[in-house]
Amino acid sequence: MKNRITLEPSTNTHTLEAKNIEVEDLETGILKLIIIGEGIVTHGEHGTLKTESPHVLKYVQQELNPVTNALQNAFD
């Protein structure tokens, strides 16, 4: 049996599937992952990706909005 988690909820959601996934939320859009088994990342906009390490940091890119002058998440 495999575990599946959502890495980035958006219109084209990123999901990770592996035998076992430990997740630690480090806040501000950063996840610390320990992946047991083959980690497969799927997304609606590109091909399938495979993790190369059991230790992964997943973060959401932030960009400066020139109108509001505030940082915001840059989802695709």
Side-chain angles (χ1 to χ4, degrees):
M1 181 166 179
K2 290 190 174 184
N3 290 331
R4 178 180 291 197
I5 65 165
T6 299
L7 295 173
E8 183 177 297
S10 67
T11 56
N12 291 306
T13 299
H14 292 74
T15 60
L16 169 65
E17 188 173 301
K19 182 178 179 182
N20 190 27
I21 306 165
E22 294 179 30
V23 181
E24 182 181 348
D25 188 348
L26 301 178
E27 299 181 11
T28 63
I30 301 172
L31 298 177
K32 178 180 174 184
L33 307 168
I34 299 176
I35 302 165
I36 307 301
E38 185 175 69
I40 303 295
V41 178
T42 56
H43 180 268
E45 291 291 311
H46 54 67
T48 302
L49 303 171
K50 180 181 173 212
T51 60
E52 295 180 350
S53 170
H55 303 279
V56 174
L57 287 177
K58 194 286 182 200
Y59 67 94
V60 174
Q61 179 179 332
Q62 293 194 328
E63 296 177 346
L64 182 66
N65 182 323
V67 175
T68 64
N69 214 24
L71 287 176
Q72 65 185 41
N73 291 346
F75 294 113
D76 58 352

